[in-house]
Amino acid sequence: MSLSDLTFFFVVALTIGSALYVVTSQKLVYSAMALFFTLLGIAGLFVFLMADFIAGTQIVIYVGGILVLIVFGIMLTNRISDVRLSHTSMQRGVGGVVVLLIFAGLYKMISSAPWYLESASAPESSVKGIGKLLMIEYLLPFEVASVLLLAALVGAAMLSRKSKS
Amino acid sequence: MTESLDLELGSVQTEEMVLNMGPQHPSTHGVLRLKVLTDGEIVTRITPYIGYLHRCFEKHCENVTYEQVLPYTDRCDYIAAMNNNFGYAVAVEKLMDIKVPEKVEHIRVIVAELNRIASHLLAVGTFGLDVGAFTPFLYCFRDRERILDLFEMLCGARLLYSYIWVGGLSHDLPVGWVEKAYEFLDYFEPQVEEYNNILTFNKIFIERTADVGVLPQEVAISYGVTGPNLRGSGVKWDLRKDDPYSIYDKFEFDIPIGTGVVGTVGDCWDRYYIRVREIEESVKIVRQALEQLPRDGDVHEAIPKKIRPPKGQLYNRTETPRGELGYYIISNGKPIADRLKMRSPAFTALSCIDEIARGWMISDVFAILGSLDIVLGEIDR
Amino acid sequence: MVDYFLNLFADVSWLAAMPAGAQFLLAALLAGLPLFLFVAVNAIIAVYAERKVSAFMQDRLGPMGQGVGLHAGKWGLLQTVADALKLILKQDIIPALADRKLFILAPFIIFIAPFVAIAAMPFNQHILVADFNIGVFFLLAVGSVGVIGIILAGYSSNNKWSLYGAMRSAAQIISYEIPAALSILTVIMLTGSLQMQEIIKAQSGTIWGILPNWFIFNNPFTLLAFFLFFIAGVAETNRTPFDLPEAESELVAGFHTEYSGMRWAFFFLSEYANVFIVSGITAIVFLGGWQSPIPGYMDGPFWGLVWFFSKVVFLILVMMWFRWTFPRLRTDQLMRMCWKFFLPASLVNILGVGLWDLLVN
Amino acid sequence: MNDLNIYLTVGAILFSLGLYGVITRRNGVAVLMGVELILNSANVNFVAFARFGGMNLSGHIFAMFVIILAAAEAAVALAIIINLYNKFGTVNVDDARSLKQ
Amino acid sequence: MNFNQLVEYINEQFRKEFVQTGEEVPADHISVAASDWKDFAEFLRNDEHLFFDAMMCITGVDFGEESDLGVIYNLHSMKHNHKLEVRITISRDKPVVPSVEKIWRIADWFERETYDMYGIEFEGHSDLRRILLPEDWEGFPLRKDYVFPTSYHGIDIPKMKEGWE
Amino acid sequence: MMTFAPYFLILPLAAFAIQIFFGKRLPRKGDWVSITAVGTTLCLAIAMFVMMLFLYEPGAKAEQSFEWFNLGELSVKIGVLIDNVTVIMLLVVALVSGLVHLYSVGYMKDDPRYSRYFGYLSLFTFSMNGIILSNNLLSIYMFWELVGLSSYLLIGFWFEKDSAANASKKAFLVNRVGDIGMFIGIMLFFTATGSFLFSDIFAGVAAGALPLPLLTVAGLCLFAGAIGKSAQVPLHVWLPDAMEGPTPVSALIHAATMVAAGVYLTFRMFPLFTPEALTVIAYVGGVTAIFAAIIAVTQNDIKRVLAYSTVSQLGYMVMAIGTGAYVAGFFHLTTHAAFKAALFLCSGSVIHAMHHAYHKLGDHDSDPQDMRNMGGMKSKMKITFLTMFMATLALSGVPFMSGFLSKDAILAGTLSFATHHPEHFLLPLFGFGAALLTAFYMFRLIFMTFYGKPAKQEVLDNIHESPATMTTPLIVLATLSIFIVYTLPYINPFSDHGWFTDLIVATNSVVPQHVNPSAHEIAEGIHHAHLPAMIISLIVAFTGIALAVVIYLKKKFSAEKLAKNLALPYKLSFNKFFVDEIYDRFLINPTIKLAKAVGFFDWEIYDKYFINGFGRITERLSRFIGITMDYDVLDQQIVDGVGKSTRFFGGALKFIQTGKIQNYLVWVLGGIIIIFIIQAM
């Protein structure tokens, strides 16, 4: 096993292990913290997949944006004077079984499906390629996404506004 | 699009939180504790808790002779000890009907005004510090140091002078002091411009202080707020002019009042700027007093051998840098006062904090507190 | 730099047998190590500089040593070293009610972010750990990791002041990241590349034969972008007048109120590393990086290093100048400034650069 | 590692874990974290297909859209959760069950 | 208005023969019964010609171990620039005075201080707590019959009296 | 010339952006930003104009298009077209806009939203330039809507006034009606020819891409947009109301430029119109011309008179296009822009003066726009009077004035049209009638405003001439209403032969089968009809002036008495033919009534009788069943049995309905697993 593989499995282990912690930890902030490592790990996977731009985006938006938002959410919705924010789970047994079954199904599908394999030649710069695609082929979805973001922004602002009584 | 989306943090509903400011906190100017109820960063109520520095001043006064009270007055407002000495001396002199020599009066006015400058410098500097400007603080201290040097030359002490005695002074002016004082004034006068440049008219400083913590006139009067704080609210009231004691009626000076140049009348900036301008006025008074100072005469001349005021009572008030300092003295003819009550200006100024800081943000509480310029030694006594 | 190591590996058989990715990682590690060391030293020097600069601005002397014996050296040169020693030796206190794990983790997250960022920073034509395809973007991305650390530090301390500091800091950094990124976008629009070296190379040559062709001089919009980015950068590093998260006169020490000793030193180091990075990015993106200010003269790797550092030092000094001159803003004013002035301005700026590029070029 | 199946498996594991989080968590924010995991698993798949499955850069684009969507989703979801908290005083999704008869 | 005019005016406008000037020379204060104080204070505050809008000081007094307690109010008018001293004497056994907190806001703290030192109750005060001394302090220290405690929270208080005399 | 084109768009847009974002903070509130921008475009326009004159080539044309975006198969091109028409239009817009900007500095001086005002003006200039420069229907439509938007913003600029807010809404909505038609038209052409470019569409239509009837419909749809924007009957109702906006805006938008956009569009699209469509256009124009002129006779608000006059003149232009004399129509557009802008700005100057006078007197109730309050201002406001008088002469069609030339050309066109098609004899009648009325009401306006005695002498005493920033534009515009400006290098006051007619030439229709007369034939016809038309129009104009002199200057007849004698026409005219009321009664009220009727039916009839009837029937039935059926058997055994079993199943099932979404999710996942299993089997 080469060093590259080692690194890869380390990243995978980090990702999956911390993801497991996210969904099992009894402390909310620890979950968020584990999510941080999961997201970093996934960014690492992207690097292995030669998607450096997506990796960067992942860190900027997920870590810098969404995760912070989540932490804010945690702090705004709990008595912040209490450090040990714990939370409980339910239907763990049933959930576990169901999810395991689902995973088994998925795995079977992955392993048995005849995937169309074509090793894409890694583009010289994925940034340029992505940029071109976004501005030409995916212009409309791109614009729609911007509208979606705007709508989400306005919606979120409206939702969390204090009702003027 | 006239109405912009209100995306600031304040619009998210949060729970009220109790924040204990002090008694150990960098910006409470002493051991003051403020229990602050906040909603996010917005202050909903402030309850001051004082008394951490209570030293039984009034109880002491009922147990020691009039002469012995004097050092205690130093320790009440330790930032402006000369003014406190002055007020006490004037009160007892009135009670005993003593007339002090001209020279003594002049020297008293000079040191009192110098101490007023020193005190205001401290207030201005720390106020800058409260809103995050560090450099003006050190500039102010640099200049305050020179005044303290003058006082040291005068009586050997740098903070607690006990210089002004009942009926006179502890020491006569040392040789060369007047020249040094002139030298200081010549150096100091242009410095005020520097403070204005670095702090007063700084855009961020104005943003932070203008319109913040407005203290309206009626409220100020009702809360018994006096001194620069009252004048900041636009009331032209200064005991040196309106109820002159000592020889203040001999000098020409203005009483600056808040005009709301950059915000509302009575906001933090006004209170701050009053102090800057009072520094200028005090410099004027010191110059006049130095010019009129009689060169000969004995400063100990009128000091009574034994201080034993006749039976009676008296409420006497003088203007310290923080406002009206009142002494209520009841004498029953003994060398020890029957009752000596000190009415301290900072005490009244602090009492209005809840009224004016409510609804502002946490950062503003410090700006407001700083603008009131309180000295805990005087509040707690 | 990395290429240099990779070439070296090619000669060693067992290293050459490794997959390319692993070789790359190793090379990056080897190339990065001295730079990381350099950053630590940078903080020590910067702290000393800050003390001296502030002292001179405030009409005093700052740290001084005198006489013989244990003192802070000539002109107080050893003051920071002594401080560092003190911090290392100091008792490490973790408040009883704090969340231990997060409390310990937080400084590291904050500390790692700027150190990783250094990897993408070209010091001259050759000294560069890795020239990422997404260079500038990488820096922005890594920069946003630190926020998590700050929030954690504030949260785990179990102290209201810390929490206020953390919340303020998070809001502030995230907000100012947007105008900062948008300002850099103007330059990216002109160069068409995110790569650091490309951006620097795009700034060679002159304008009207006199001025160096740096982006700050390139057109009015990039000039504005320079100011926007630099100010937003100051805000991102939590320095005065944007030091709300640690405002000592309000929040005691903000998110690191409860930290002491070595852990606190991490905050301190990362602050100065961040200062270096922001100045570095500004120098690279707007001031031509290692390009000589007199185009065509005094080029070359050594001069490149000199120019780069002199630009960075200049910008750091400007930041210190800010710090010791301005009062602090209030939270709402800070946010208002970002959302109502910086963001629209940087958006308009992008439009402006686009038009400029279209019309002039 | 140059094998599509590994990435797909990692994606499937992340998906299952996310699903588990969504099913079992009481706290709304924790549920949201589960959703983020699910979205990320999709991203891993997209990018993996982009690398191996001939999807080329389109896969990257899709991943980007997913990230954008996630950002919007997180913002709105948290706004809803905060609203929920203001209304019911709790963020436990199963406490807010006015749907129940 | 000087003191005599004030007295005359009060007697005319408020109540006939309300003020009996004391035998002190010079006459500079007026004495009021505790029961009249509230009405009289409102009159002083609101009357156009008196308009005592500022309260300068409240002083508690103990006239001696055997005699009464007193409260002294120093009033001042910013508008007319005249001042007045009002004195209320109350019995040591039942020291109750109506509060004027609502009329002069500063009276809030001054009354608390007087209560703190003399134990004079101010009727109608919204928040009559100790202000300078700790909440759990026993006794009212400025009373002439105050007995010094020997210990505070288990800490012995040394007798250092000789130093003062 | 192509290189200049972007600046016409960029400069005003940049000015707009700067004004909106930073305007308030700039010195002088940033009016210089807009003025500089528009001034620069004016310089560029003049440069282009001079270039055009030097070139002196009738068919000069420069076009550049580029692909804007493509969605799959669809490739949408837009671009810029510059020919002589464009150059002249650009000059007109830049000139009037520039002068109005200058004028506004004085007029809007103390307005709190001063910088925003200038921002809007710049936005308008930007979008108007966009319309002119476009070589395709798509961007025309976009800028068309932008023009509508800026018009909306400017009409409602003083939105504190209800009337202004309502007027802006009305303008917007009425315009939408036309724009829907226009959009349909554009889309018809687009689907037929697959392009928005004029050249492509013309080529496509010439190749027969649209069958003739559809072409007529498409053309009329396009024309619907023009009806809305150029305020033709029946969509003219918004323009008079639009006078609620600031007067300079009225001058710029609602007299000289925006309303001309409709005419411009029709002009550009002329080759596409079939004879049937043209006939409709001609009648719409003719009716508008006479209709508005009649209304204008009785109005008392100075700006309203001008507004109706504008509507009437626009009708002229449209009629000219309809009769094929569309070069004349464009000529009239150009001359009209100058003198109508002058008239509006003059009226603004008068209103400004009146307003200040009232303000000084402390009178806030009197209407400064009402002509009945004016009079005798001739001596007080000399420049305003002189310039307004010149513009009036031009509008009335008095020789030596520009209006004479262009109006004459139109009348000749209609006359010629009627000679070829005698069944359309009404058109010249409309034309000459409107000319008569125009002369009459314009002089009525002059006499009522500047001659005679005012209602209150003290008002007159306080009248002062407006500042130089306001009078300079007046002088410039008045100068431009002299004939010579348009006929150089030939100087014949009775012929419109000049650079204008040399450079603007008609193009042939592209309608297949060539049923329209060619451009040359039309020109010939007009030429023949020129002399009679001129004579008649002169007679008509002077009759109108004479009537006005007799009634309003000499006061030989009392206007009131006339009104009483002609009660019905007067009433019709005074109340604008009750168009608004008719719309109210026949469009708005019926809609409301319909809604009410439906509501009534729903509640009163359906609900009360049908539903309740069912209820009653059911009640009877149940009572019947209840009495007849055996209580014990049915109730105790069957009903209770059902109840019990329901409770049993309900009790079992209620554990499933927890209200917890996560529980439901588990069930859903269970379902998926089952599908998996079935798939696997």
Side-chain angles (χ1 to χ4, degrees), chain C residues 219-274:
Chain C
N219 67 51
F221 297 104
T222 42
L223 178 66
L224 179 61
F226 165 74
F227 287 111
L228 287 177
F229 177 79
F230 189 58
I231 294 171
V234 175
E236 271 196 77
T237 48
N238 294 341
R239 285 176 68 89
T240 325
F242 310 105
D243 64 342
L244 300 155
E246 44 201 275
E248 78 280 349
S249 62
E250 293 166 20
L251 301 185
V252 188
F255 57 86
H256 53 66
T257 305
E258 297 288 352
Y259 282 87
S260 64
M262 213 39 216
R263 287 185 216 292
W264 182 79
F266 275 124
F267 287 105
F268 214 63
L269 285 182
S270 66
E271 176 181 335
Y272 283 97
N274 269 326

Side-chain angles (χ1 to χ4, degrees), chain D residues 22-23 25 93-94 97 100, chain F residues 658-660 662 665-666 669:
Chain D
V22 171
I23 291 176
R25 271 17 230 321
V93 280
D94 55 343
R97 46 182 172 184
K100 189 181 179 180
Chain F
T658 53
K660 295 177 191 172
Q662 285 141 319
L665 196 60
V666 170
L669 290 176

Side-chain angles (χ1 to χ4, degrees), chain F residues 596-613:
Chain F
K596 275 188 184 154
V598 172
F600 175 82
F601 175 78
D602 188 39
W603 176 244
E604 292 290 329
I605 298 176
Y606 182 74
D607 224 36
K608 271 197 180 159
Y609 295 101
F610 199 65
I611 309 262
N612 291 2

